[in-house]
Amino acid sequence: MATSVAPRVYKNFINGEWAEPRGGEAYENRNPANTEELVGMFVSSGPSDIDAAVDAATEAYKTWRLVPAPKRAEILYRAAELLLQRKEEFSKDMTREMGKVLAETRGDVQEAIDMTYYMAGEGRRLFGQTTPSELPNKFAMSVRQSIGVCGMITPWNFPMAIPSWKMMPALVAGNTVVLKPAEDTPLSSYHLVQVLTEAGIPRGVVNLVSGDGPNAGAPLSKHKKVPVVSFTGSTAVGRIIAEAGAPDFKHVSLEMGGKNIIIVMDDANLDLAIDGAIWGGFGTTGQRCTAASRVAVHKSVYPEFIKRFVECVKALKVGDGLDPKIEMGPCINEQQLKTVMSYVEIGKGEGAKMLTGGNRLETGALAKGWFHAPTVFGDCSPKMRVAQEEIFGPVVSVIPIGSFEEAIEVANGVPYGLSASIYTKNVNQAFAAMRDLYTGIVYVNAPTIGAETHLPFGGTKQTGNGHREAAISAIDFFTEWKTLYIDYSDTLQRAQIDNAD
Ligand code: UN1
């Protein structure tokens, strides 16, 4: 596994400097498509690195909160320009550390660019409300105020987009940041922080601390000086973070699992639905919280759908995402591959029909990576574990349904509620689905993935805890409302009490 060139060693970024670790060892970041390739060495941080980063962010907050928001936004605007200039380089690095195909990592960097421009624009808005007072000679309004140090714990599947969804609204609103990126994808966060630094972010305003969940994420999520924690990842870890924040009443935003569905009705354009199911199910190797891991198909078109869908899945080209011919990359790591393989066994055991895939891919160069064949289970019943639990891999469970009502019941009959989709030409049915699907996002005649940055992103039930990322909703999470009353009557006026005498 040795490489001929000495690996690049990346440091934490604390108080405006690339910082030496405080005791923690370095860990390897390897390419999941070819584990012989070492992407770099990163710091395995511990509580003292987190303390240093939080201290820096606490100090920087004193001045950053007072910088006018349009000025803060100028830095974001410059950062977006730099991201745009380096999009190709960052996309390639992201494919090397994360595995998804280059077209998708370009999309990931583009999402960060879009979010950064969008939040830069918010610097000249950050609107509050003015409203008449119930009393004469009195003025009333509400303004947003920043909160303080925001701890951010981000996943590996969108290594630049998701850190940007959290950082940009927090920063434009006047907060400071300690970012702990996923252990598997720190390089993309490193690039993002580097760009913000070049764009002129003052020292201590953005801090980056790499490492794993127990040693770096946990101390960040329960740190006494961190009033805001934003997390994207598994529901199991989200629960731990919510509990860690509860004693101090931290503001905690959680974006967690999904078991998203595409409903294909009997009147659907089947070509379109199949394209959507392929992209939704196997894009990002199924490793999206929005992935279409369930497809419910009306019985009258079920045989035709299955035949054509499975043909398309079999034709998917799997390999190294830097090769432009490749359509699907590897799983992120060995653990994730094993999880996928274990769900394949679970599905077989509970009687789901294996239609294609179901095995690790190990021929030729694929043996060097964590590749799994795109897999389809047919004839699934809605209560099977493969139709209920988030697998986070290239496995799609197809469920036959007999009616629209049954489709909605199946769709809502899971513990999660992120994204859902319906393919139909019937406008009445489409509107009924928009009303009745209990998810944060609904698509009509489009797959479950592909959220845009200026619309709220998040889900119901065990997907989230009521917050939304992106859009103005992100600003809502990273600010507190402050209501201001200005009495210019020179008399004591008592609200809700009769002042007329
Ligand atoms: C995620 O998988 O955590 O809508 C986020 C989408 C992406 C975001 C996915 N823009 O599929």
Side-chain angles (χ1 to χ4, degrees), residues 48-179:
S48 54
D49 301 288
I50 294 290
D51 281 345
V54 172
D55 284 348
T58 306
E59 192 56 30
Y61 178 62
K62 293 177 189 162
T63 43
W64 181 244
R65 62 181 274 270
L66 301 175
V67 174
K71 293 287 167 203
R72 295 194 291 252
E74 280 173 20
I75 299 173
L76 265 55
Y77 186 83
R78 281 199 292 276
E81 298 280 282
L82 291 170
L83 285 171
L84 196 53
Q85 280 167 25
R86 298 187 202 158
K87 181 173 168 182
E88 197 58 17
E89 173 202 337
F90 291 170
S91 305
K92 284 188 176 142
D93 273 352
M94 194 189 293
T95 293
R96 287 170 60 232
E97 75 168 348
M98 191 275 167
K100 62 186 174 183
V101 299
L102 195 51
E104 288 192 44
T105 52
R106 286 185 188 124
D108 192 309
V109 177
Q110 187 58 46
E111 236 178 278
I113 294 166
D114 294 342
M115 184 58 84
T116 308
Y117 277 130
Y118 174 63
M119 288 299 165
E122 274 312 302
R124 285 190 185 269
R125 287 185 289 266
L126 289 178
F127 297 134
Q129 301 104 30
T130 60
T131 183
S133 163
E134 67 186 53
L135 295 165
N137 298 321
K138 189 175 171 190
F139 188 86
M141 64 181 163
S142 63
V143 295
R144 294 180 183 276
Q145 62 179 338
S146 55
I147 307 175
V149 180
C150 303
M152 298 171 178
I153 300 172
T154 54
W156 44 261
N157 64 339
F158 278 82
M160 193 175 279
I162 292 181
S164 80
W165 292 7
K166 299 185 191 302
M167 286 166 80
M168 302 313 166
L171 290 171
V172 80
N175 304 284
T176 56
V177 169
V178 177
L179 170 66

Side-chain angles (χ1 to χ4, degrees), residues 371-393:
F371 292 96
H372 194 278
T375 298
V376 179
F377 277 121
D379 297 351
C380 295
S381 78
K383 294 294 170 207
M384 284 178 178
R385 287 185 63 191
V386 289
Q388 284 284 323
E389 297 173 21
E390 183 175 55
I391 300 174
F392 228 65

Side-chain angles (χ1 to χ4, degrees), residues 111 155 157-158 162 165 232 287-290 392 443 448-451 457:
E111 236 178 278
N157 64 339
F158 278 82
I162 292 181
W165 292 7
T232 300
Q287 302 174 118
R288 290 197 193 206
C289 57
T290 49
F392 228 65
Y443 290 91
T448 54
I449 67 176
F457 181 89

Side-chain angles (χ1 to χ4, degrees), residues 288-498:
R288 290 197 193 206
C289 57
T290 49
S293 55
R294 298 185 293 161
V295 183
V297 183
H298 195 280
K299 281 177 184 147
S300 65
V301 290
Y302 186 84
E304 177 72 10
F305 177 90
I306 287 286
K307 185 171 147 281
R308 285 159 61 185
F309 179 56
V310 169
E311 267 168 31
C312 293
V313 174
K314 283 186 174 153
L316 282 172
K317 294 185 197 68
V318 183
D320 185 335
L322 286 176
D323 176 344
K325 291 190 295 297
I326 293 300
E327 294 163 304
M328 193 185 99
C331 298
I332 183 71
N333 56 32
E334 186 175 13
Q335 183 54 43
Q336 203 62 34
L337 175 67
K338 282 189 173 154
T339 302
V340 171
M341 291 167 78
S342 76
Y343 271 104
V344 165
E345 292 312 313
I346 289 167
K348 284 186 200 159
E350 57 193 354
K353 194 164 161 195
M354 170 69 62
L355 297 175
T356 181
N359 56 288
R360 183 178 178 178
L361 296 174
E362 291 181 284
T363 45
L366 295 184
K368 294 179 184 174
W370 309 120
F371 292 96
H372 194 278
T375 298
V376 179
F377 277 121
D379 297 351
C380 295
S381 78
K383 294 294 170 207
M384 284 178 178
R385 287 185 63 191
V386 289
Q388 284 284 323
E389 297 173 21
E390 183 175 55
I391 300 174
F392 228 65
V395 181
V396 172
S397 302
V398 189
I399 307 163
I401 41 114
S403 66
F404 174 76
E405 290 71 25
E406 188 187 345
I408 298 292
E409 202 180 304
V410 167
N412 290 338
V414 290
Y416 303 108
L418 182 52
S419 183
S421 139
I422 184 164
Y423 280 78
T424 178
K425 291 183 197 135
N426 178 334
V427 70
N428 297 355
Q429 213 161 245
F431 270 86
M434 287 187 259
R435 181 193 59 203
D436 293 339
L437 288 165
Y438 185 52
T439 52
I441 305 168
V442 173
Y443 290 91
V444 177
N445 293 327
T448 54
I449 67 176
E452 300 180 31
T453 53
H454 56 303
L455 288 134
F457 181 89
T460 61
K461 299 191 274 185
Q462 292 187 24
T463 295
N465 63 341
H467 298 288
R468 291 291 182 268
E469 302 212 275
I472 295 299
S473 23
I475 300 278
D476 287 337
F477 177 68
F478 289 110
T479 54
E480 289 270 21
W481 282 113
K482 182 181 274 178
T483 305
L484 304 171
Y485 297 106
I486 304 100
D487 191 318
Y488 56 100
S489 70
D490 255 349
T491 53
L492 172 64
Q493 303 198 86
R494 292 165 295 186
Q496 292 95 38
I497 292 175
D498 188 1

